[in-house]
Amino acid sequence: MKKAAIIISRTIIVLSMLALAGCSGNTDRSEQREHLVSHQLTIGFSQVGSESDWRVANTKSMKDTFCAANGYTLIFDDAQQKQEKQITAIRNFIQQEVDYIILAPVTEGGWDTVLQEAKDAGIPVIIVDRMVDVSNDNLYTAWVGSDFRREGEKACKWLRSYTRAMGIKAKELHIVNIQGTIGATSQIGRTEALESAAKKYGWDLLASASGDYARTKSKEVMESMLKAHGNINVVYCENDNEAFGAIEALRQADKSVGLNIRAGETLVLSFDGTTAALEHLLKGEIGLVTECNPLQGPAVRKIIETLEKEGAVPKQTYINEKVFAHDDTVESVMVHDTQYDITVVSQKLIDKRKY
Ligand code: GZL
């Protein structure tokens, strides 16, 4: 009875949404209405928050994909980077008997109990972006995201090639790492890659501290690192917003940012690849941006539509990503026997950017 009541209420929601919003360009409202009502799927999406430009783009990708015109009702929850809010949201989705749950987990641990509750309720969970660390990976149906360790390895391979091309010795590099949210898969992978490279190549890794993927906190972290270390010449930022904060702090400390370490410039590296970061890259204020693609909506939709047809879906789906540089000093990098060509940023590329 409860499920029937929910279906009726959803139908009313859909019809009123169509009447108000006019979801798509389709001119035949009755045909659209009939399609939507009969094929409407309800998705509960628990999003980390809105801490970065990347996150905003990721949310938009999900909302654009899971819209009424595509046959979905999306129930969206912004957890403001708090796991307890995500757990509450998932429990609410279970109560509302959604058809699927999408979870973008803020950090890896602490999900077993609530994912078991979703499993017991027969609701498939799709993990996006960061990974969950659970006792049994049957607690989720599929994962869509990036290989964060590989992202970090691409960046470090570029840094090694670039500085060697500049005639700079490994021991001349004095690096600080502004980390992402501690415990997030993206932070773990990008940090591990840098620490492993520093050890392998003999780089001086002076300090690491979390900027929580946020501009303001990262500016404060950079300020304190500058007070503690007078010889920083590379800043490894684990996302674009951290790079923006670091650049602000460097400028306020009368440090010039650029690629010419030999001339005393501080080289900033970043991850994500938002339009704003590519604009800094074009100006030479950032030397390298390793892309982390937030446009995961279509890949998740493909998984759901396969599941709806009772097809088999891959447990892990990786999103394709590029590496953007200010110039063509380094043409490509090899990571685990895979060659990644470096894309030199241009205004034309920026103008076409979708986020
Ligand atoms: C990466 C994602 C990170 C981004 C940050 O997939 O988890 O979180 O790199 C975002 O911008 O805040």
Side-chain angles (χ1 to χ4, degrees), residues 50-57 178-180 190 211-220 222 235 237-249 268-278 280 286 289 355:
S50 52
E51 74 283 358
S52 66
D53 299 358
W54 187 98
R55 188 66 55 193
V56 170
I178 302 182
Q179 297 170 290
R190 293 167 188 166
D212 216 12
Y213 289 130
R215 179 180 186 139
T216 307
K217 187 168 177 192
S218 300
K219 178 172 182 266
E220 292 160 6
M222 188 73 245
V235 183
C237 299
E238 294 189 357
N239 90 325
D240 293 338
N241 298 77
E242 296 186 343
F244 306 153
I247 290 168
E248 214 176 323
V268 177
L269 289 80
S270 183
F271 293 86
D272 283 350
T274 57
T275 300
L278 298 186
H280 279 282
I286 295 178
V289 176
Y355 64 92

mmCIF file of all heavy atoms in Angstrom, residues 50-57 178-180 190 211-220 222 235 237-249 268-278 280 286 289 355:
data_model
loop_
_atom_site.group_PDB
_atom_site.id
_atom_site.type_symbol
_atom_site.label_atom_id
_atom_site.label_comp_id
_atom_site.label_asym_id
_atom_site.label_seq_id
_atom_site.Cartn_x
_atom_site.Cartn_y
_atom_site.Cartn_z
ATOM 1 N N SER A 50 29.496 21.595 -1.356
ATOM 2 C CA SER A 50 29.743 22.517 -2.484
ATOM 3 C C SER A 50 31.069 23.242 -2.230
ATOM 4 O O SER A 50 31.202 24.434 -2.456
ATOM 5 C CB SER A 50 28.598 23.526 -2.593
ATOM 6 O OG SER A 50 28.405 24.134 -1.315
ATOM 7 N N GLU A 51 32.039 22.487 -1.742
ATOM 8 C CA GLU A 51 33.328 23.019 -1.279
ATOM 9 C C GLU A 51 34.220 23.533 -2.397
ATOM 10 O O GLU A 51 35.173 24.268 -2.139
ATOM 11 C CB GLU A 51 34.068 21.941 -0.467
ATOM 12 C CG GLU A 51 34.676 20.805 -1.279
ATOM 13 C CD GLU A 51 33.662 19.760 -1.777
ATOM 14 O OE1 GLU A 51 32.450 19.863 -1.481
ATOM 15 O OE2 GLU A 51 34.106 18.856 -2.497
ATOM 16 N N SER A 52 33.951 23.087 -3.643
ATOM 17 C CA SER A 52 34.881 23.476 -4.710
ATOM 18 C C SER A 52 34.141 23.642 -6.026
ATOM 19 O O SER A 52 33.014 23.155 -6.190
ATOM 20 C CB SER A 52 35.948 22.387 -4.870
ATOM 21 O OG SER A 52 35.342 21.180 -5.333
ATOM 22 N N ASP A 53 34.819 24.286 -6.981
ATOM 23 C CA ASP A 53 34.225 24.444 -8.319
ATOM 24 C C ASP A 53 33.979 23.065 -8.935
ATOM 25 O O ASP A 53 32.992 22.850 -9.646
ATOM 26 C CB ASP A 53 35.177 25.243 -9.223
ATOM 27 C CG ASP A 53 35.430 26.647 -8.673
ATOM 28 O OD1 ASP A 53 34.844 26.992 -7.618
ATOM 29 O OD2 ASP A 53 36.225 27.388 -9.268
ATOM 30 N N TRP A 54 34.880 22.142 -8.644
ATOM 31 C CA TRP A 54 34.712 20.771 -9.154
ATOM 32 C C TRP A 54 33.410 20.188 -8.647
ATOM 33 O O TRP A 54 32.629 19.602 -9.392
ATOM 34 C CB TRP A 54 35.890 19.896 -8.671
ATOM 35 C CG TRP A 54 35.905 18.523 -9.260
ATOM 36 C CD1 TRP A 54 36.637 18.092 -10.329
ATOM 37 C CD2 TRP A 54 35.144 17.383 -8.812
ATOM 38 N NE1 TRP A 54 36.386 16.762 -10.572
ATOM 39 C CE2 TRP A 54 35.474 16.301 -9.657
ATOM 40 C CE3 TRP A 54 34.221 17.164 -7.782
ATOM 41 C CZ2 TRP A 54 34.913 15.035 -9.507
ATOM 42 C CZ3 TRP A 54 33.665 15.907 -7.627
ATOM 43 C CH2 TRP A 54 34.005 14.866 -8.484
ATOM 44 N N ARG A 55 33.154 20.355 -7.372
ATOM 45 C CA ARG A 55 31.966 19.780 -6.756
ATOM 46 C C ARG A 55 30.687 20.388 -7.349
ATOM 47 O O ARG A 55 29.723 19.674 -7.617
ATOM 48 C CB ARG A 55 32.008 20.020 -5.241
ATOM 49 C CG ARG A 55 30.933 19.319 -4.459
ATOM 50 C CD ARG A 55 31.048 17.817 -4.486
ATOM 51 N NE ARG A 55 32.340 17.334 -4.049
ATOM 52 C CZ ARG A 55 32.771 16.092 -4.221
ATOM 53 N NH1 ARG A 55 32.012 15.212 -4.821
ATOM 54 N NH2 ARG A 55 33.955 15.716 -3.809
ATOM 55 N N VAL A 56 30.740 21.676 -7.597
ATOM 56 C CA VAL A 56 29.573 22.357 -8.197
ATOM 57 C C VAL A 56 29.309 21.782 -9.590
ATOM 58 O O VAL A 56 28.170 21.487 -9.967
ATOM 59 C CB VAL A 56 29.823 23.879 -8.260
ATOM 60 C CG1 VAL A 56 28.752 24.583 -9.083
ATOM 61 C CG2 VAL A 56 29.887 24.464 -6.843
ATOM 62 N N ALA A 57 30.383 21.546 -10.339
ATOM 63 C CA ALA A 57 30.240 20.973 -11.694
ATOM 64 C C ALA A 57 29.740 19.538 -11.626
ATOM 65 O O ALA A 57 28.932 19.103 -12.456
ATOM 66 C CB ALA A 57 31.583 21.028 -12.419
ATOM 67 N N ILE A 178 49.637 21.032 -0.226
ATOM 68 C CA ILE A 178 48.352 21.434 0.384
ATOM 69 C C ILE A 178 47.351 20.332 0.027
ATOM 70 O O ILE A 178 46.931 20.186 -1.122
ATOM 71 C CB ILE A 178 47.884 22.808 -0.126
ATOM 72 C CG1 ILE A 178 48.962 23.875 0.176
ATOM 73 C CG2 ILE A 178 46.563 23.196 0.545
ATOM 74 C CD1 ILE A 178 48.588 25.291 -0.229
ATOM 75 N N GLN A 179 47.042 19.519 1.028
ATOM 76 C CA GLN A 179 46.270 18.307 0.798
ATOM 77 C C GLN A 179 44.769 18.591 0.745
ATOM 78 O O GLN A 179 44.305 19.636 1.225
ATOM 79 C CB GLN A 179 46.542 17.309 1.946
ATOM 80 C CG GLN A 179 48.005 16.848 2.011
ATOM 81 C CD GLN A 179 48.274 16.082 3.276
ATOM 82 O OE1 GLN A 179 48.296 16.634 4.367
ATOM 83 N NE2 GLN A 179 48.465 14.772 3.128
ATOM 84 N N GLY A 180 44.039 17.628 0.188
ATOM 85 C CA GLY A 180 42.577 17.742 0.185
ATOM 86 C C GLY A 180 42.002 17.314 1.533
ATOM 87 O O GLY A 180 42.731 17.224 2.528
ATOM 88 N N ARG A 190 46.428 11.296 -4.259
ATOM 89 C CA ARG A 190 47.326 12.369 -4.722
ATOM 90 C C ARG A 190 48.499 12.565 -3.764
ATOM 91 O O ARG A 190 49.628 12.810 -4.183
ATOM 92 C CB ARG A 190 46.521 13.659 -4.899
ATOM 93 C CG ARG A 190 45.504 13.558 -6.040
ATOM 94 C CD ARG A 190 44.496 14.689 -6.044
ATOM 95 N NE ARG A 190 43.449 14.433 -7.042
ATOM 96 C CZ ARG A 190 42.303 15.098 -7.104
ATOM 97 N NH1 ARG A 190 42.050 16.075 -6.234
ATOM 98 N NH2 ARG A 190 41.400 14.802 -8.012
ATOM 99 N N GLY A 211 44.119 21.615 3.137
ATOM 100 C CA GLY A 211 43.370 22.842 2.834
ATOM 101 C C GLY A 211 41.898 22.518 2.619
ATOM 102 O O GLY A 211 41.101 23.385 2.264
ATOM 103 N N ASP A 212 41.553 21.221 2.828
ATOM 104 C CA ASP A 212 40.151 20.770 2.764
ATOM 105 C C ASP A 212 39.483 21.082 1.429
ATOM 106 O O ASP A 212 38.273 21.303 1.356
ATOM 107 C CB ASP A 212 39.346 21.404 3.908
ATOM 108 C CG ASP A 212 38.299 20.442 4.463
ATOM 109 O OD1 ASP A 212 38.364 19.235 4.115
ATOM 110 O OD2 ASP A 212 37.411 20.892 5.196
ATOM 111 N N TYR A 213 40.278 21.163 0.371
ATOM 112 C CA TYR A 213 39.791 21.460 -0.982
ATOM 113 C C TYR A 213 39.154 22.855 -1.087
ATOM 114 O O TYR A 213 38.428 23.135 -2.039
ATOM 115 C CB TYR A 213 38.783 20.410 -1.456
ATOM 116 C CG TYR A 213 39.399 19.060 -1.762
ATOM 117 C CD1 TYR A 213 38.862 17.896 -1.224
ATOM 118 C CD2 TYR A 213 40.519 18.943 -2.569
ATOM 119 C CE1 TYR A 213 39.421 16.651 -1.485
ATOM 120 C CE2 TYR A 213 41.080 17.699 -2.840
ATOM 121 C CZ TYR A 213 40.528 16.575 -2.300
ATOM 122 O OH TYR A 213 41.087 15.338 -2.569
ATOM 123 N N ALA A 214 39.436 23.695 -0.099
ATOM 124 C CA ALA A 214 38.776 25.007 -0.065
ATOM 125 C C ALA A 214 39.803 26.131 -0.198
ATOM 126 O O ALA A 214 40.935 26.022 0.303
ATOM 127 C CB ALA A 214 38.019 25.160 1.248
ATOM 128 N N ARG A 215 39.405 27.206 -0.848
ATOM 129 C CA ARG A 215 40.302 28.334 -1.132
ATOM 130 C C ARG A 215 40.766 29.038 0.136
ATOM 131 O O ARG A 215 41.964 29.233 0.366
ATOM 132 C CB ARG A 215 39.584 29.337 -2.045
ATOM 133 C CG ARG A 215 40.439 30.542 -2.376
ATOM 134 C CD ARG A 215 39.721 31.516 -3.277
ATOM 135 N NE ARG A 215 40.618 32.598 -3.685
ATOM 136 C CZ ARG A 215 40.650 33.099 -4.913
ATOM 137 N NH1 ARG A 215 39.837 32.610 -5.848
ATOM 138 N NH2 ARG A 215 41.485 34.079 -5.228
ATOM 139 N N THR A 216 39.814 29.386 1.021
ATOM 140 C CA THR A 216 40.158 30.188 2.205
ATOM 141 C C THR A 216 41.110 29.435 3.121
ATOM 142 O O THR A 216 42.149 29.957 3.526
ATOM 143 C CB THR A 216 38.860 30.545 2.968
ATOM 144 O OG1 THR A 216 37.965 31.158 2.037
ATOM 145 C CG2 THR A 216 39.153 31.493 4.111
ATOM 146 N N LYS A 217 40.768 28.171 3.412
ATOM 147 C CA LYS A 217 41.633 27.397 4.317
ATOM 148 C C LYS A 217 43.018 27.208 3.686
ATOM 149 O O LYS A 217 44.047 27.257 4.371
ATOM 150 C CB LYS A 217 40.997 26.045 4.632
ATOM 151 C CG LYS A 217 41.776 25.284 5.693
ATOM 152 C CD LYS A 217 41.053 24.098 6.240
ATOM 153 C CE LYS A 217 41.944 23.357 7.260
ATOM 154 N NZ LYS A 217 41.396 22.025 7.606
ATOM 155 N N SER A 218 43.058 27.017 2.382
ATOM 156 C CA SER A 218 44.346 26.779 1.718
ATOM 157 C C SER A 218 45.213 28.027 1.736
ATOM 158 O O SER A 218 46.435 27.936 1.846
ATOM 159 C CB SER A 218 44.097 26.312 0.286
ATOM 160 O OG SER A 218 43.344 25.113 0.321
ATOM 161 N N LYS A 219 44.590 29.191 1.675
ATOM 162 C CA LYS A 219 45.361 30.449 1.794
ATOM 163 C C LYS A 219 46.015 30.509 3.169
ATOM 164 O O LYS A 219 47.204 30.813 3.296
ATOM 165 C CB LYS A 219 44.444 31.641 1.581
ATOM 166 C CG LYS A 219 45.106 32.989 1.720
ATOM 167 C CD LYS A 219 44.170 34.136 1.307
ATOM 168 C CE LYS A 219 44.870 35.481 1.400
ATOM 169 N NZ LYS A 219 44.624 36.132 2.720
ATOM 170 N N GLU A 220 45.248 30.144 4.199
ATOM 171 C CA GLU A 220 45.796 30.162 5.571
ATOM 172 C C GLU A 220 46.930 29.135 5.715
ATOM 173 O O GLU A 220 47.971 29.409 6.300
ATOM 174 C CB GLU A 220 44.678 29.849 6.580
ATOM 175 C CG GLU A 220 43.622 30.934 6.676
ATOM 176 C CD GLU A 220 42.308 30.439 7.288
ATOM 177 O OE1 GLU A 220 42.277 29.268 7.730
ATOM 178 O OE2 GLU A 220 41.327 31.197 7.304
ATOM 179 N N MET A 222 48.887 28.033 3.350
ATOM 180 C CA MET A 222 50.061 28.532 2.607
ATOM 181 C C MET A 222 50.782 29.609 3.425
ATOM 182 O O MET A 222 52.019 29.635 3.492
ATOM 183 C CB MET A 222 49.605 29.086 1.252
ATOM 184 C CG MET A 222 50.752 29.443 0.313
ATOM 185 S SD MET A 222 51.586 27.990 -0.383
ATOM 186 C CE MET A 222 53.206 28.121 0.319
ATOM 187 N N VAL A 235 54.634 24.295 -5.036
ATOM 188 C CA VAL A 235 53.436 24.083 -4.198
ATOM 189 C C VAL A 235 52.520 23.110 -4.938
ATOM 190 O O VAL A 235 52.054 23.404 -6.044
ATOM 191 C CB VAL A 235 52.697 25.401 -3.915
ATOM 192 C CG1 VAL A 235 51.501 25.154 -2.979
ATOM 193 C CG2 VAL A 235 53.645 26.425 -3.282
ATOM 194 N N CYS A 237 49.146 21.477 -5.040
ATOM 195 C CA CYS A 237 47.800 21.704 -4.482
ATOM 196 C C CYS A 237 46.871 20.602 -4.964
ATOM 197 O O CYS A 237 46.804 20.343 -6.168
ATOM 198 C CB CYS A 237 47.266 23.043 -4.962
ATOM 199 S SG CYS A 237 48.295 24.431 -4.453
ATOM 200 N N GLU A 238 46.132 19.984 -4.062
ATOM 201 C CA GLU A 238 45.350 18.817 -4.442
ATOM 202 C C GLU A 238 43.986 19.168 -5.059
ATOM 203 O O GLU A 238 43.195 18.270 -5.345
ATOM 204 C CB GLU A 238 45.227 17.841 -3.262
ATOM 205 C CG GLU A 238 46.612 17.256 -2.920
ATOM 206 C CD GLU A 238 46.596 16.135 -1.919
ATOM 207 O OE1 GLU A 238 45.512 15.794 -1.409
ATOM 208 O OE2 GLU A 238 47.685 15.580 -1.612
ATOM 209 N N ASN A 239 43.730 20.440 -5.295
ATOM 210 C CA ASN A 239 42.636 20.830 -6.196
ATOM 211 C C ASN A 239 42.787 22.296 -6.584
ATOM 212 O O ASN A 239 43.615 23.020 -6.010
ATOM 213 C CB ASN A 239 41.261 20.513 -5.603
ATOM 214 C CG ASN A 239 40.682 21.664 -4.782
ATOM 215 O OD1 ASN A 239 41.419 22.392 -4.117
ATOM 216 N ND2 ASN A 239 39.377 21.828 -4.842
ATOM 217 N N ASP A 240 41.983 22.740 -7.537
ATOM 218 C CA ASP A 240 42.121 24.101 -8.078
ATOM 219 C C ASP A 240 41.866 25.173 -7.028
ATOM 220 O O ASP A 240 42.590 26.179 -6.955
ATOM 221 C CB ASP A 240 41.132 24.301 -9.234
ATOM 222 C CG ASP A 240 41.461 23.447 -10.441
ATOM 223 O OD1 ASP A 240 42.631 23.021 -10.565
ATOM 224 O OD2 ASP A 240 40.537 23.195 -11.244
ATOM 225 N N ASN A 241 40.841 24.995 -6.217
ATOM 226 C CA ASN A 241 40.508 26.043 -5.243
ATOM 227 C C ASN A 241 41.637 26.224 -4.234
ATOM 228 O O ASN A 241 41.907 27.333 -3.765
ATOM 229 C CB ASN A 241 39.190 25.703 -4.536
ATOM 230 C CG ASN A 241 38.041 25.649 -5.540
ATOM 231 O OD1 ASN A 241 37.908 24.671 -6.275
ATOM 232 N ND2 ASN A 241 37.252 26.701 -5.614
ATOM 233 N N GLU A 242 42.343 25.143 -3.926
ATOM 234 C CA GLU A 242 43.511 25.266 -3.052
ATOM 235 C C GLU A 242 44.610 26.061 -3.744
ATOM 236 O O GLU A 242 45.282 26.907 -3.120
ATOM 237 C CB GLU A 242 44.014 23.873 -2.672
ATOM 238 C CG GLU A 242 43.014 23.076 -1.850
ATOM 239 C CD GLU A 242 43.567 21.760 -1.367
ATOM 240 O OE1 GLU A 242 44.584 21.280 -1.897
ATOM 241 O OE2 GLU A 242 42.977 21.192 -0.417
ATOM 242 N N ALA A 243 44.752 25.833 -5.042
ATOM 243 C CA ALA A 243 45.771 26.577 -5.797
ATOM 244 C C ALA A 243 45.458 28.073 -5.807
ATOM 245 O O ALA A 243 46.355 28.914 -5.638
ATOM 246 C CB ALA A 243 45.840 26.042 -7.236
ATOM 247 N N PHE A 244 44.162 28.407 -5.949
ATOM 248 C CA PHE A 244 43.792 29.831 -5.952
ATOM 249 C C PHE A 244 44.139 30.468 -4.603
ATOM 250 O O PHE A 244 44.674 31.583 -4.528
ATOM 251 C CB PHE A 244 42.300 30.008 -6.232
ATOM 252 C CG PHE A 244 41.807 29.336 -7.485
ATOM 253 C CD1 PHE A 244 40.484 28.920 -7.590
ATOM 254 C CD2 PHE A 244 42.662 29.086 -8.547
ATOM 255 C CE1 PHE A 244 40.013 28.288 -8.748
ATOM 256 C CE2 PHE A 244 42.203 28.458 -9.713
ATOM 257 C CZ PHE A 244 40.889 28.053 -9.801
ATOM 258 N N GLY A 245 43.868 29.744 -3.513
ATOM 259 C CA GLY A 245 44.193 30.265 -2.172
ATOM 260 C C GLY A 245 45.691 30.393 -1.974
ATOM 261 O O GLY A 245 46.196 31.387 -1.429
ATOM 262 N N ALA A 246 46.437 29.397 -2.461
ATOM 263 C CA ALA A 246 47.905 29.417 -2.310
ATOM 264 C C ALA A 246 48.513 30.589 -3.075
ATOM 265 O O ALA A 246 49.397 31.304 -2.566
ATOM 266 C CB ALA A 246 48.492 28.101 -2.817
ATOM 267 N N ILE A 247 48.016 30.826 -4.292
ATOM 268 C CA ILE A 247 48.538 31.930 -5.111
ATOM 269 C C ILE A 247 48.296 33.263 -4.416
ATOM 270 O O ILE A 247 49.168 34.142 -4.364
ATOM 271 C CB ILE A 247 47.914 31.897 -6.524
ATOM 272 C CG1 ILE A 247 48.459 30.695 -7.310
ATOM 273 C CG2 ILE A 247 48.174 33.204 -7.278
ATOM 274 C CD1 ILE A 247 47.714 30.399 -8.598
ATOM 275 N N GLU A 248 47.111 33.393 -3.812
ATOM 276 C CA GLU A 248 46.780 34.630 -3.077
ATOM 277 C C GLU A 248 47.790 34.852 -1.949
ATOM 278 O O GLU A 248 48.336 35.942 -1.785
ATOM 279 C CB GLU A 248 45.365 34.467 -2.501
ATOM 280 C CG GLU A 248 44.554 35.719 -2.438
ATOM 281 C CD GLU A 248 43.129 35.410 -1.941
ATOM 282 O OE1 GLU A 248 42.552 34.361 -2.279
ATOM 283 O OE2 GLU A 248 42.640 36.259 -1.170
ATOM 284 N N ALA A 249 48.076 33.806 -1.201
ATOM 285 C CA ALA A 249 49.021 33.918 -0.076
ATOM 286 C C ALA A 249 50.428 34.199 -0.574
ATOM 287 O O ALA A 249 51.157 35.036 -0.012
ATOM 288 C CB ALA A 249 48.991 32.622 0.735
ATOM 289 N N VAL A 268 53.409 26.342 -9.084
ATOM 290 C CA VAL A 268 52.185 25.793 -8.487
ATOM 291 C C VAL A 268 51.605 24.712 -9.404
ATOM 292 O O VAL A 268 51.496 24.915 -10.611
ATOM 293 C CB VAL A 268 51.138 26.907 -8.270
ATOM 294 C CG1 VAL A 268 49.827 26.332 -7.725
ATOM 295 C CG2 VAL A 268 51.684 27.983 -7.324
ATOM 296 N N LEU A 269 51.299 23.564 -8.811
ATOM 297 C CA LEU A 269 50.620 22.489 -9.545
ATOM 298 C C LEU A 269 49.244 22.289 -8.939
ATOM 299 O O LEU A 269 49.050 22.514 -7.737
ATOM 300 C CB LEU A 269 51.397 21.161 -9.422
ATOM 301 C CG LEU A 269 52.728 21.055 -10.176
ATOM 302 C CD1 LEU A 269 53.828 21.753 -9.409
ATOM 303 C CD2 LEU A 269 53.113 19.585 -10.378
ATOM 304 N N SER A 270 48.275 21.876 -9.779
ATOM 305 C CA SER A 270 46.903 21.735 -9.285
ATOM 306 C C SER A 270 46.226 20.514 -9.913
ATOM 307 O O SER A 270 46.723 19.927 -10.877
ATOM 308 C CB SER A 270 46.096 23.002 -9.624
ATOM 309 O OG SER A 270 44.789 22.880 -9.078
ATOM 310 N N PHE A 271 45.060 20.173 -9.352
ATOM 311 C CA PHE A 271 44.234 19.073 -9.869
ATOM 312 C C PHE A 271 42.808 19.573 -10.064
ATOM 313 O O PHE A 271 42.371 20.470 -9.317
ATOM 314 C CB PHE A 271 44.217 17.892 -8.876
ATOM 315 C CG PHE A 271 45.537 17.196 -8.723
ATOM 316 C CD1 PHE A 271 46.485 17.662 -7.831
ATOM 317 C CD2 PHE A 271 45.852 16.080 -9.505
ATOM 318 C CE1 PHE A 271 47.715 17.036 -7.684
ATOM 319 C CE2 PHE A 271 47.088 15.434 -9.366
ATOM 320 C CZ PHE A 271 48.011 15.918 -8.457
ATOM 321 N N ASP A 272 42.095 19.065 -10.956
ATOM 322 C CA ASP A 272 40.696 19.260 -11.332
ATOM 323 C C ASP A 272 40.570 19.720 -12.778
ATOM 324 O O ASP A 272 40.064 18.997 -13.613
ATOM 325 C CB ASP A 272 39.938 20.237 -10.403
ATOM 326 C CG ASP A 272 39.555 19.590 -9.077
ATOM 327 O OD1 ASP A 272 39.709 18.361 -8.969
ATOM 328 O OD2 ASP A 272 39.100 20.312 -8.168
ATOM 329 N N GLY A 273 40.997 20.984 -13.077
ATOM 330 C CA GLY A 273 40.879 21.442 -14.468
ATOM 331 C C GLY A 273 39.644 22.287 -14.720
ATOM 332 O O GLY A 273 39.069 22.261 -15.813
ATOM 333 N N THR A 274 39.228 23.046 -13.727
ATOM 334 C CA THR A 274 38.103 23.972 -13.947
ATOM 335 C C THR A 274 38.557 25.112 -14.858
ATOM 336 O O THR A 274 39.760 25.373 -15.007
ATOM 337 C CB THR A 274 37.652 24.571 -12.591
ATOM 338 O OG1 THR A 274 38.801 25.207 -11.988
ATOM 339 C CG2 THR A 274 37.120 23.481 -11.674
ATOM 340 N N THR A 275 37.595 25.805 -15.424
ATOM 341 C CA THR A 275 37.917 26.902 -16.347
ATOM 342 C C THR A 275 38.837 27.931 -15.691
ATOM 343 O O THR A 275 39.826 28.360 -16.280
ATOM 344 C CB THR A 275 36.606 27.576 -16.804
ATOM 345 O OG1 THR A 275 35.812 26.591 -17.468
ATOM 346 C CG2 THR A 275 36.885 28.737 -17.742
ATOM 347 N N ALA A 276 38.518 28.273 -14.451
ATOM 348 C CA ALA A 276 39.334 29.292 -13.746
ATOM 349 C C ALA A 276 40.788 28.833 -13.625
ATOM 350 O O ALA A 276 41.725 29.633 -13.797
ATOM 351 C CB ALA A 276 38.741 29.547 -12.365
ATOM 352 N N ALA A 277 40.994 27.561 -13.378
ATOM 353 C CA ALA A 277 42.364 27.050 -13.237
ATOM 354 C C ALA A 277 43.088 27.099 -14.583
ATOM 355 O O ALA A 277 44.275 27.458 -14.651
ATOM 356 C CB ALA A 277 42.328 25.627 -12.712
ATOM 357 N N LEU A 278 42.357 26.778 -15.653
ATOM 358 C CA LEU A 278 42.997 26.805 -16.982
ATOM 359 C C LEU A 278 43.345 28.236 -17.392
ATOM 360 O O LEU A 278 44.324 28.468 -18.106
ATOM 361 C CB LEU A 278 42.089 26.127 -18.011
ATOM 362 C CG LEU A 278 41.794 24.638 -17.766
ATOM 363 C CD1 LEU A 278 41.005 24.056 -18.926
ATOM 364 C CD2 LEU A 278 43.070 23.834 -17.526
ATOM 365 N N HIS A 280 44.353 30.504 -15.206
ATOM 366 C CA HIS A 280 45.624 30.736 -14.482
ATOM 367 C C HIS A 280 46.773 30.040 -15.220
ATOM 368 O O HIS A 280 47.885 30.561 -15.298
ATOM 369 C CB HIS A 280 45.527 30.145 -13.070
ATOM 370 C CG HIS A 280 44.818 31.020 -12.080
ATOM 371 N ND1 HIS A 280 45.393 32.110 -11.475
ATOM 372 C CD2 HIS A 280 43.566 30.943 -11.568
ATOM 373 C CE1 HIS A 280 44.541 32.674 -10.635
ATOM 374 N NE2 HIS A 280 43.420 31.996 -10.676
ATOM 375 N N ILE A 286 49.929 29.065 -12.900
ATOM 376 C CA ILE A 286 49.965 27.638 -12.513
ATOM 377 C C ILE A 286 50.740 26.935 -13.629
ATOM 378 O O ILE A 286 50.609 27.304 -14.807
ATOM 379 C CB ILE A 286 48.539 27.056 -12.384
ATOM 380 C CG1 ILE A 286 47.773 27.731 -11.233
ATOM 381 C CG2 ILE A 286 48.585 25.552 -12.169
ATOM 382 C CD1 ILE A 286 46.320 27.226 -11.069
ATOM 383 N N VAL A 289 47.978 21.527 -14.607
ATOM 384 C CA VAL A 289 46.672 21.159 -14.040
ATOM 385 C C VAL A 289 46.353 19.734 -14.503
ATOM 386 O O VAL A 289 46.191 19.488 -15.700
ATOM 387 C CB VAL A 289 45.554 22.123 -14.483
ATOM 388 C CG1 VAL A 289 44.203 21.641 -13.939
ATOM 389 C CG2 VAL A 289 45.830 23.545 -13.997
ATOM 390 N N TYR A 355 33.108 23.214 -17.797
ATOM 391 C CA TYR A 355 32.979 23.502 -16.348
ATOM 392 C C TYR A 355 34.180 24.259 -15.855
ATOM 393 O O TYR A 355 35.160 24.369 -16.586
ATOM 394 C CB TYR A 355 32.835 22.210 -15.546
ATOM 395 C CG TYR A 355 34.039 21.274 -15.594
ATOM 396 C CD1 TYR A 355 35.068 21.336 -14.648
ATOM 397 C CD2 TYR A 355 34.167 20.337 -16.614
ATOM 398 C CE1 TYR A 355 36.153 20.483 -14.698
ATOM 399 C CE2 TYR A 355 35.252 19.470 -16.666
ATOM 400 C CZ TYR A 355 36.231 19.564 -15.719
ATOM 401 O OH TYR A 355 37.314 18.714 -15.773
#
